[in-house]
Amino acid sequence: MKKKFIRGLLADLLLTATALTVFALFHHVLPRQQESLGIVIENPYASRDEQEGSRAVWPEDALLTASGSMSDAGVRAAAEGKHSGGGQGGGSSQKGGSALTEGGTQESGAADAVPLSEKFADKYTDTVVITDTSYTSPDISITVTEEHSGKITYYLADIYVRDITCFQSALAKNAYGSGYRDSVAGMAALSNALLAVNGDYYGNTREGVVIRNGVIYRANRTDCDVCVLYYDGTMRVMPGSEFSVEDAVADGAWQAWTFGPALLDTDGSVLTSFSSTNRIISANPRTAIGYYEPGHYCLVVVDGRGESDGITLPALSQLFHDLGCTAAYNLDGGNSSVMVWQDAVINDPSGGGRESSDALLIAEVNDHE
Amino acid sequence: MSKVQTILNHLTVVLGMMFLVFLILDQFNPLMDFTDNPVSRILLAVLCLCGIIQSLSTRH
């Protein structure tokens, strides 16, 4: 009788292991394309010059308001598929969670009446200049530094872009769906990226918003904060419930990520409490994006689970506040946190790093001598 | 014990253990959505049915 019971239990364990393996294969491992909304948001600032070729330019004469609202240029969206403001109901699962309450959208930075072309003129160079820690060109200025704060090591990429289309996303295997993965270095190499970090690993879930390079792939409900980067250079972090496809199209969304949480409050102040699990809030390797004002951003990758201790969400919030950012957003972390600079992984990824479904890149879009 | 009851017993144990694993994994990484996805919802429905059928069958 006892032997029969033990045999039955072992059989159950074996069946459970088999079922879990099959489940994981179909849920996460095997590549599977997902249905995409396929809504294309055109760049309202793109101009076609026969002499210069097709390129995207900043609104040279546009003066930004405090809200960072777009200029008079309109936005057209060519809908190629379903146009949905929401999708399947979101569950209670949280990626990075949410730190903003409804109505708590982080707007852009302070008002400034200086045209963009003059604003950061001292950051750019007429020709490409490359050093070990910097890259400057007529459209891009990047400075990468390794910083130490106590037992925490992090890498800070200070970024100025004159053309927002230099701030790109890459999808693993150039495919949208679950199970598609590639190393950040691999995606950076394919895109000739100057700088790359892992993204929000959208392929691991079906919820949330995915906008990459002006295409809305997904706009499902989510409990997480959503970060949107617009064609006019502004960046907003909002509760997931406040995102709408119509607004994204009207406001000219260029990129959008779903992971979170927001790292700064609506007025740019430090956040000390986050509605997420203790494991997510505690010290971990992290990747995050910071926003100062249109055209000026930063990417931070924090090492952890090794010689570096990793960083908690409250401490990361403090870091972005100390950097002077007006908005900041947490991306996928842990073993995913990787920064690639000049074709090399420069941080110490936990566990050797992990392939991801997407990456954030800074790459030239115009030819420079 | 009939074959149907035997299958139901094993199915209940297997599905129960699967969901325990899902719950633990979701604690570590909520991003992965182990408990809240279309396939898991179907498995949960099957687990519930197994439990109900077993419970009713033992009353007689």
Side-chain angles (χ1 to χ4, degrees), chain A residues 135 140 142 188 191-196 340-343 362-364:
Chain A
Y135 174 97
I140 296 173
I142 306 172
S191 304
N192 292 320
L194 304 162
L195 173 76
V340 175
W341 167 242
Q342 294 179 345
D343 301 322
I362 305 294
E364 291 281 7

Side-chain angles (χ1 to χ4, degrees), chain A residues 245-259:
Chain A
V245 171
E246 290 79 11
D247 288 346
V249 170
D251 295 339
W254 166 238
Q255 313 280 356
W257 302 279
T258 304
F259 199 92

Side-chain angles (χ1 to χ4, degrees), chain A residues 12 91 93-94 204-205 279, chain B residues 10 17 28 30-33 36:
Chain A
D12 287 338
S93 61
Q94 298 173 345
N204 246 359
T205 181
R279 191 170 184 278
Chain B
H10 286 291
M17 284 200 286
F28 279 94
L31 164 72
M32 304 283 280
D33 272 350
D36 190 29

Side-chain angles (χ1 to χ4, degrees), chain A residues 51-65:
Chain A
Q51 290 178 345
E52 293 178 338
S54 170
R55 60 173 287 180
V57 297
W58 284 91
E60 296 253 342
D61 298 325
L63 302 179
L64 296 179
T65 64

Side-chain angles (χ1 to χ4, degrees), chain A residues 134-149:
Chain A
S134 68
Y135 174 97
T136 54
S137 75
D139 288 335
I140 296 173
S141 173
I142 306 172
T143 305
V144 177
T145 52
E146 179 179 327
E147 308 286 346
H148 299 275
S149 174

